[in-house]
Structure formats: structure tokens, C-alpha cells
Amino acid sequence: MAEKILLAHGEGGKRTRDLIRSVVLTRFGNPVLDPLLDSGLLGRIDGEIAFTTDAYIVTPPVFPGGDIGRLAVCGTLNDLAVCGANPVAISCSLILEEGLPVGELEGVLDSMREAAREGAVTIACGDTKVVERGKGDRIFITTSGVGTLLPGWRPSPQTVMPGDRVILTGTMGDHQVAVLIARNRLELSAEVLSDAAPLSPMLLDILVRFGADVRFMRDPTRGGVGVSLIEMAESTRRRIILEEALLPVSPAVRGVCEILGFDPLYLANEGKAILLVSPSASDAVVSALRRHPYGRGAAVVGEVTEGPPGVLLRTTVGGLRAVDYPVGDQLPRIC
Amino acid sequence: MRLRYLDEFRDPATARAIVDRIGNTWDGPPVRLMEVCGTHTMAIARSGIRQLLSGRVTFLSGPGCPVCVTPAAYLDRAIALGKERGVILATFGDMVRVPGTRSSLERERGKGLDVRTVYSPLDAVALAEREKEKEVVFLGVGFETTTPAIAGAIVMAAETGVPNFSVLSSVRTIPGAMEILASDPETGIEGFLCPAHVSAIIGSNAYLPLAEKYAIPCVVAGFEPIDILLGTLMLLRQKTEGAARVENEYARVATREGNRKALGLVSRVFEECDAPWRGIGVLPHTGLRIANRFSSLDAQIKFGLADFGTEEHTPCRCGDILKGKISPPDCPLFGTTCTPAEPAGPCMVSGEGTCSAYFKYGVP
């Protein structure tokens, strides 16, 4: 096996076959994938089907707390989970850049296997392409996922009422800050780990226990908690008031944000969920979330209220201001 | 990494106590206070203080956003330099989306202009050392806070000999602009909340002539919510006493004399000049140009560029907003043809622009 990925690895010939057998199947091997048919045969699936897809392009592909492989599995599992879907199978398409060290690919695939194991999902099909050096960024991954909706539950933004609570499952911004630091352009050293994690076991447990008291969930990835909540306010046509003092941010992320002028509300997360929950169940939901390893920092952070749709923030000093979509990148500031 | 002084200056109980005192100190009509600096404007909006003190204080947002007051002609000149001379333009991120007369750096970058965002002027010098075959021009925009770093980059490039580096300077100074606003009866300013970081460089004594000549209270305040509330209380107390002193709420960083080392570096590299302010016009003695001894690092001289010229006429009322004469919703473009996604004027582009603060954080 060559140490670097070559164009020949993507040409469909012997090298492709060897790469898949020695690097992919040794990790992902399962009865659906092993025959290497043109489709993974999933058999009969009972229930309503949820289907999602996502592309992953992160620089650098390996960062503190995870890598693009963990991200690609968790992201798709979480998209299913917040819709109340038990994962059945995911696909894995790899676009590799010529020259990528095979060892790096192996590390990424190890992470995918581990995340899939944690999320109890089968990797059922896949594809590998290689692009010329300079035409990619080491490794891109696309994963699609199929799941079955939990019987009796579905996302119900229309049932969200004034008085419902906003629950966030943990601290904001860890993933994006970990990646920013890993890019090493900021000359900042801080111990921040990406939060990339598969949330399906936790969220499905909550749905089984609390059912319709959980009205609606989102995973605040790109655009962060701020943008997800704005979209939730739009789809529920409700006003949401956040309490700044209750929003969890780790001291290191907060420090980086202060220095660079970032707002943690808009930073990406890869292992967090926002839940809109009935007021009577909210304390019990928070306690139940906190018993899961990925929900230890869960907290009520706001409330749905009367008023025109949108998101407002009650600041620590008692002022009230709007939370709106960010425009463009959050940029380094002049002063 | 754990930063100090975050929770202390955002403490809810302290904030409530100060707001109560503000209520007890002043119950007349709203007092017109100008926060000069864009960072204050943004902090006031982000912390909801404008809403918290409404009825007591009207905050007028001043011209202290460097991106907002940089003339469109400056950007036109920078874009032309990139297109016609093939130079690499290195800039702070905030400048990228600011509209020039016809285009912006962002739009031109999409068409192939080589625009690089840097975090520090020194990064631009390092970029020039890496890209030896190309000219690198740093867009030197800012106030007293950024000027020392720009001066430092110029000195470093001169001393180490980086022949392909130069600076297109458009730096400005704050106190002169404040004086012009104070002398304009239309603005009706009853007190200045003076910038935190600018004052850390120039010192609070820089405002003494202003307080004395125009009988306007001045308080240097930090950028945290408690700083702003406390600074406001100090201004209102002066108002009730009929006083016009310079006070310093931000004594943990800013001193009376300022940062002599930084000021020394600036006076070594720059000399005073008149400067055009976008939407306001040319203000005497409010700009800095690169001194003759560093002229080889002055992009304007190096590339034989003419002066930046005067203002274009547009329906955008950023000028009146920067002078505190109107607030953003009074501008006919606000929220209609001018939004953060499609800014018509600079006050909507910058993260610290007044219009952007109103648009982003205003409670509907």
C-alpha cells in the first residue's frame, strides 16, 4: 500500500479495490456493506422514514476533540435525531486530494467507525473519488442518513406556546473555536475541544420519556444557537426571549470571543441541541439530559413569550435587545 | 485561558444599583450624550443599555468608527491600485465589505483582485516578505488605537528593508473631530462619553481643552456594560452640578498622560494633516500622513497617487448620523435599501457602525 493517496486510487481499478478492502472494509465492515454491491440492501424498514444529507469540508481535517470523520457521522446522526428519527443507516462518500497521507485517511475512518458505533448506525454504502492535487482540501466527506421516526412523535413547531422553555444541552461555540485555534492563525493557545458528538441516544431517550412535552428540536451547527433560534422563532411564529446570564459558554471560548470580537451565539456547535419544551416538563427534561454524557451542561436558557415573532436577549445588566442574523463572516476587528 | 474583568463589569446587581442611581440623579428631559467611539455604540446596543436608560439619556453615536469615516474615494484608490498595478491589498477584515463609489474590495476580490485579510499590520509586512515579487500595500485605516501598530509596521519595514511593502494611510485622530462636533450648535451635545482604547493611548488630559472651551463634561469610560453605566452616571452628576470636567472611569487602563511609548512611535512616523471624513467633509488637523523620512513606505508617493478628493453626493445620511444630528431610523434608506446584507452607506457595513447597531439590536 502506497503511503499517499494517488489518482489511481480513484480510477476504479485494482488500486481502488485494494484501498477499499484494506482501509475501508477493515473498519466499516458489516453485512450490508461487505458484499460491495452497487447499493446497500437495508431490508424491510418499519415506520415513517426520515432522510437527510450533509457535506463536510473543514480545514484542518483534524482538530482538538475530533476530525472530519467524527463530524461527518455525528452531523448526519444529529440531523436525524432532532427530527425524532432513530438512525438506520448512513452512506459515506469520500473525496480525497491526491497526496493525502493514507495514515490520515485511516485516522478519519477510525473516527467514523467509532462515532457510528456510539450512535448505533450502520455504514451501508459509500464511494471514493480522488481529485488532483490542489483541487481539493485533503479530504471532503458527504454522508446521507436514513432513520425511522419514533412512533407518536414528530417535530411540531405549531404547538409551541408562550411559556414554553428553551433548553440548550451544553456550552456554545466549542467546535468553531477549536477549529479556529487549530488553524493556528490566531496565535492564541487555549484548551478548547470540539464538541462533535452523536446525540441520537440522548435525544431519543428524552423523546421516549417526555413525548409531546418536547415540541421541537434543532441542532445549532453553522450559524450557532443564535441563527437556529431565529429560524425556530420563524417556524413557530413565536417570540423567544433568551437570558444572557443563563447561556452556557466555557471560560476559554469566552476568552477567545472577547479577544477576537466574536459572539458565541453565532459560533458553530456539533454536539448540542436546542429543545422547546412545555413549562411543566422542563425541569425534568433538564435533569434527564444532565444524566447523559453529552448533556451534562444542559440548562433552561430562555422562554417563549407573547409578542411579534423573533428572538430577543435579556442582557446580564437587564437591557433587552434583538438577536438577528449575522451578515457575512465574523471578521477580525480594527479596534 | 481565563480572562479577568469580565464578570465584574457585567454584574447584574451592580448594574441595577447604578441604574437606580441614574434615576435618582436625573429626572429631567433626556440628556443628549455622545458616545464617540464605535465600540461604545456597539456595546450600548448589545447590552441593551439604550433601551434600559431610554427616557433618561439619549445616546448620540459619534464618528468613532474608522471604517465608517473612511472616504469612498480612498477605497476607489485602493481598488484601482490593485487592478491597475497588480498589488496585493492587505486589510483589516472590516474594510472588505465597505462600499466605495462603485464597488467594494469584496466584490472586486470575487473578480480576481488580490485582497488579503490580516489581523495586524505586522502580518502585512510578513506577507510582503513571503511574496517578494509582488508589491504589498497595507490599507492603513484607523484611529489612535491602530495608528501605533501601523507606525510599528512602517518602522519595522524600514529597518529590516522590505522594499515591496507600503502603507496607503488614512488614519485619523479623535479629539479634533470631537471639537468640531462640540462647536456645532445643531448637535446639542451635553456630554461626551470618551473612547476607552483611544484614551489609553492619548490620555484623558487630551480632552481638557474641549471640556474647558465648550463647557462640556467629558468622561473616559471602558467598554463593558458597567463601565458605560458608571460613565453615564458620572456625566449626569456633572450635569446636575453644572460642571464640565474631564473624569476617568477607565482608570484601570487609561491614564492622564496616555501611552508615551506609543505616542512617541506615532510622532516619529506620522505628521498632522487635514483629513476628509466620509459624510462629514474635510476636518482640519484631524488626519495623520506618513512623514517624509518614511516616504518610501507611503503608497501614495510610491505609486504617485493624487489626493483622495472630496465627498460624493448620495442620499445616504451617514454624515448626519455620524454628527449625531439624526438617528438611523430617520434616514430614508435605513432598513429599506440599506441593510447589513446590502449596505448603501458605511455606518451599516461596519460591525461598529451606528446603523448596523440599530438594525441588528433594535427591539421591534
Side-chain angles (χ1 to χ4, degrees):
Chain A
M1 175 63 51
E3 288 182 310
K4 299 268 170 93
I5 292 293
L6 309 173
L7 283 174
H9 284 124
E11 283 168 1
K14 182 166 183 320
R15 277 189 190 271
T16 308
R17 200 76 175 175
D18 288 349
L19 181 77
I20 288 171
R21 289 210 182 280
S22 66
V23 175
V24 180
L25 282 190
T26 48
R27 291 178 171 77
F28 295 173
N30 63 62
V32 181
L33 187 64
D34 287 345
L36 292 180
L37 300 176
D38 287 324
S39 298
L41 303 182
L42 298 176
R44 190 176 296 278
I45 300 172
D46 287 332
E48 284 185 79
I49 304 285
F51 181 41
T52 186
T53 188
D54 217 332
Y56 298 85
I57 49 162
V58 58
T59 311
V62 181
F63 42 80
D67 60 23
I68 191 169
R70 183 167 175 81
L71 212 57
V73 173
C74 296
T76 292
L77 287 180
N78 294 347
D79 283 344
L80 290 173
V82 292
C83 286
N86 243 316
V88 173
I90 61 172
S91 68
C92 166
S93 281
L94 302 168
I95 297 177
L96 309 176
E97 187 184 4
E98 181 189 11
L100 177 80
V102 170
E104 192 169 318
L105 174 63
E106 288 174 328
V108 166
L109 297 180
D110 282 340
S111 303
M112 292 187 80
R113 177 188 54 190
E114 178 53 28
R117 190 195 59 74
E118 230 187 300
V121 72
T122 303
I123 299 176
C125 55
D127 185 37
T128 305
K129 297 274 166 25
V130 179
V131 293
E132 275 173 59
R133 193 185 289 270
K135 296 206 167 159
D137 190 4
R138 302 165 86 93
I139 178 164
F140 297 150
I141 304 179
T142 299
T143 53
S144 298
V146 174
T148 51
L149 286 192
L150 210 64
W153 194 88
R154 54 174 57 239
S156 308
Q158 72 285 355
T159 65
V160 171
M161 297 289 156
D164 284 355
R165 303 292 196 267
V166 182
I167 294 173
L168 179 62
T169 59
T171 52
M172 302 188 293
D174 301 72
H175 173 70
Q176 190 159 352
V177 168
V179 171
L180 278 172
I181 291 173
R183 278 182 202 161
N184 201 24
R185 284 188 48 207
L186 304 178
E187 295 181 33
L188 290 173
S189 61
E191 284 284 312
V192 180
L193 301 181
S194 165
D195 59 352
L199 299 178
S200 7
M202 173 172 83
L203 295 180
L204 292 165
D205 171 51
I206 296 293
L207 291 185
V208 167
R209 292 166 64 178
F210 296 96
D213 278 325
V214 179
R215 323 266 198 221
F216 186 33
M217 303 191 288
R218 292 289 305 270
D219 63 329
T221 52
R222 212 171 22 170
V225 170
V227 168
S228 290
L229 277 169
I230 294 167
E231 290 170 355
M232 290 173 101
E234 283 170 3
S235 50
T236 59
R237 299 202 192 115
R238 296 290 180 190
R239 168 174 277 198
I240 292 170
I241 298 189
L242 291 176
E243 294 291 331
E244 187 175 33
L246 302 179
L247 286 168
V249 184
S250 79
V253 168
R254 193 161 166 213
V256 170
C257 285
E258 290 294 329
I259 289 171
L260 298 175
F262 292 156
D263 187 338
L265 260 183
Y266 299 120
L267 295 180
N269 311 279
E270 293 292 344
K272 298 289 156 34
I274 302 170
L275 295 77
L276 299 186
V277 176
S278 75
S280 58
S282 71
D283 286 348
V285 170
V286 168
S287 314
L289 283 167
R290 285 184 180 168
R291 282 196 286 276
H292 284 273
Y294 297 129
R296 283 201 200 101
V300 171
V301 297
E303 196 175 323
V304 178
T305 68
E306 303 282 355
V311 181
L312 301 178
L313 180 82
R314 169 94 47 207
T315 66
T316 50
V317 296
L320 196 63
R321 54 102 160 157
V323 174
D324 198 4
Y325 287 108
V327 175
D329 280 349
Q330 295 200 73
L331 298 168
R333 298 159 43 179
I334 279 185
C335 65
Chain B
M1 180 168 59
R2 181 182 283 271
L3 300 188
R4 292 170 63 208
Y5 295 140
L6 291 183
D7 296 322
E8 293 88 331
F9 291 93
R10 292 174 197 178
D11 177 58
T14 314
R16 261 195 309 277
I18 302 173
V19 171
D20 286 347
R21 283 200 199 175
I22 286 175
N24 297 334
T25 304
W26 184 257
D27 62 358
V31 181
R32 290 169 65 82
L33 302 181
M34 175 172 276
E35 86 277 4
V36 181
C37 174
T39 309
H40 271 143
T41 301
M42 217 19 111
I44 288 168
R46 266 192 71 173
S47 57
I49 289 177
R50 187 182 306 283
Q51 175 261 351
L52 194 62
L53 298 184
S54 70
R56 305 268 175 205
V57 173
T58 303
F59 285 104
L60 310 170
S61 304
C65 158
V67 170
C68 304
V69 299
T70 300
Y74 173 85
L75 282 155
D76 298 345
R77 200 56 50 84
I79 290 167
L81 250 184
K83 280 163 87 166
E84 290 159 21
R85 313 288 185 97
V87 309
I88 298 173
L89 298 173
T91 177
F92 291 127
D94 321 34
M95 290 298 292
V96 173
R97 298 181 54 243
V98 180
T101 309
R102 280 174 299 276
S103 188
S104 67
L105 294 170
E106 183 183 51
R107 241 179 266 164
E108 294 299 325
R109 180 159 66 185
K111 295 186 210 159
L113 194 71
D114 195 348
V115 179
R116 314 275 183 99
T117 306
V118 292
Y119 292 80
S120 147
L122 294 175
D123 290 348
V125 178
L127 176 67
E129 286 179 314
R130 283 199 308 275
E131 306 261 359
K132 286 194 172 30
E133 308 77 42
K134 287 200 140 191
E135 286 288 332
V136 172
V137 175
F138 178 71
L139 304 185
V141 169
F143 292 120
E144 287 90 337
T145 39
T146 26
T147 313
I150 298 171
I154 289 174
V155 169
M156 191 171 116
E159 285 174 358
T160 56
V162 186
N164 58 331
F165 174 79
S166 59
V167 174
L168 190 61
S169 172
S170 182
V171 294
R172 290 175 179 71
T173 53
I174 284 284
M178 287 170 69
E179 173 155 7
I180 287 155
L181 292 169
S183 66
D184 183 344
E186 265 189 74
T187 60
I189 297 167
E190 298 174 80
F192 278 116
L193 201 62
C194 302
H197 293 165
V198 164
S199 305
I201 303 291
I202 65 177
S204 62
N205 281 351
Y207 309 106
L208 286 173
L210 190 69
E212 194 171 327
K213 188 167 169 194
Y214 299 96
I216 290 186
C218 294
V219 172
V220 174
F223 290 135
E224 293 296 322
I226 300 285
D227 289 318
I228 294 168
L229 290 171
L230 201 53
T232 303
L233 176 63
M234 289 161 80
L235 283 169
L236 293 178
R237 281 191 177 151
Q238 288 200 44
K239 165 106 184 134
T240 54
E241 291 166 25
R245 295 185 296 271
V246 174
E247 293 180 306
N248 186 4
E249 184 279 336
Y250 196 44
R252 67 185 184 277
V253 174
T255 62
R256 284 183 188 181
E257 291 79 25
N259 182 331
R260 287 180 186 202
K261 195 168 174 188
L263 290 172
L265 188 60
V266 170
S267 64
R268 200 176 138 202
V269 173
F270 289 102
E271 54 196 33
E272 198 178 271
C273 64
D274 300 344
W277 295 58
R278 188 170 190 158
I280 298 179
V282 174
L283 303 183
H285 313 298
T286 59
L288 294 173
R289 65 168 165 243
I290 298 169
N292 284 337
R293 51 192 293 229
F294 292 102
S295 60
S296 64
L297 288 141
D298 185 340
Q300 201 164 345
I301 293 172
K302 189 171 189 176
F303 297 99
L305 307 178
D307 277 337
F308 296 126
T310 49
E311 269 312 290
E312 66 294 346
H313 292 284
T314 74
C316 163
R317 296 193 63 189
C318 280
D320 288 331
I321 290 164
L322 292 169
K323 287 185 237 170
K325 290 184 179 175
I326 64 168
S327 52
D330 302 329
C331 173
L333 306 186
F334 179 80
T336 56
T337 51
C338 184
T339 64
E342 285 293 330
C347 297
M348 189 61 96
V349 178
S350 164
E352 308 209 323
T354 309
C355 297
S356 158
Y358 269 76
F359 190 92
K360 274 170 74 177
Y361 298 129
V363 176

